[in-house]
Amino acid sequence: MATGIVRRNDEEDEIAGRESAKLVYGANSPYARQPELATIGAVTVDDLKALHDRVLGGKLIVAVSGDFDPAAMDAKLRGVFEGLPKAKAAPARHDVFPGSKPGVYFIGKEDVNQSNVEIVGLGTDRRNPDVPALAEMNEILGGGFASRLFQKIRTEKGLAYAVGGGLSFAYDHPATFHVMVLTQSANTVEATKLAMAEIDGLTTRPFTEEELARAKDNILNSFLFRYDTREKVLAERERLEFYGYPADYLESYKAALEK
């Protein structure tokens, strides 16, 4: 960790991502807090034990996949784990997410000839019923080679090494709205204006049937690779259980995407 802290300003994309997160969440938020040599040096083993007890509190999720008799496996697991102390209830969270203040922020780095532009704001979480529609919006705006951002800024104008983004959603807190443009320093203003215009176009230029069909295909086809092994399926079920989502969340999400 100390090595990472010492070298954290070597790459401009790392600087941009770190500092833009602070704009969205605030510098003191756990989602943007910056470690320092003094803060990591002060951590003790007892601190880690206290954190483990406070955060986990005996909570345990056991997941098994494979060829076995479910009743026998259930009995075996209960025999091993039911004697453990009851899990402690998680303390109520009182997170506050005010979002970013409108503005333009600069960080100078003299040894590079390119700009990392980050257009950021507060996103949402996966409990938002609009998430399936937002996923397809993201795909159309900045999800790949055929996206509006890529086609306009890189393909048509030739102004970006990389461009993309959208409105993100996390399982347990609002993620970020995040559009990134990597461009030559001299093209910073033009490329940024073009990105802002494509973002504005989300409400002024309706999506076409062709864009919608491509977005659906791309997202639904990605399921083939996200859940193509038992291990991946099991990990996803664990994640849903951990964050308190229904067991059929994936099926419902897929059906909502198709609609």
Side-chain angles (χ1 to χ4, degrees), residues 116-177:
N116 275 69
V117 181
E118 307 267 344
I119 303 170
V120 296
L122 195 63
T124 188
D125 63 52
R126 280 191 171 269
R127 298 189 190 280
N128 186 331
D130 289 329
V131 159
L134 290 171
E136 292 176 6
M137 178 197 79
N138 288 340
E139 189 69 24
I140 294 170
L141 174 66
F145 296 133
S147 69
R148 289 183 173 188
L149 284 168
F150 195 99
Q151 286 296 309
K152 173 59 72 172
I153 301 175
R154 177 164 174 163
T155 303
E156 182 181 328
K157 298 293 185 180
L159 293 178
Y161 307 113
V163 60
L167 197 149
S168 303
F169 25 87
Y171 283 93
D172 68 335
H173 69 282
T176 60
F177 175 86

Side-chain angles (χ1 to χ4, degrees), residues 117 119 149 153 159-160 163 181-184 186-197:
V117 181
I119 303 170
L149 284 168
I153 301 175
L159 293 178
V163 60
V181 183
L182 178 59
T183 186
Q184 287 186 339
N187 298 328
T188 303
V189 173
E190 183 180 1
T192 303
K193 286 182 175 180
L194 287 170
M196 295 292 288

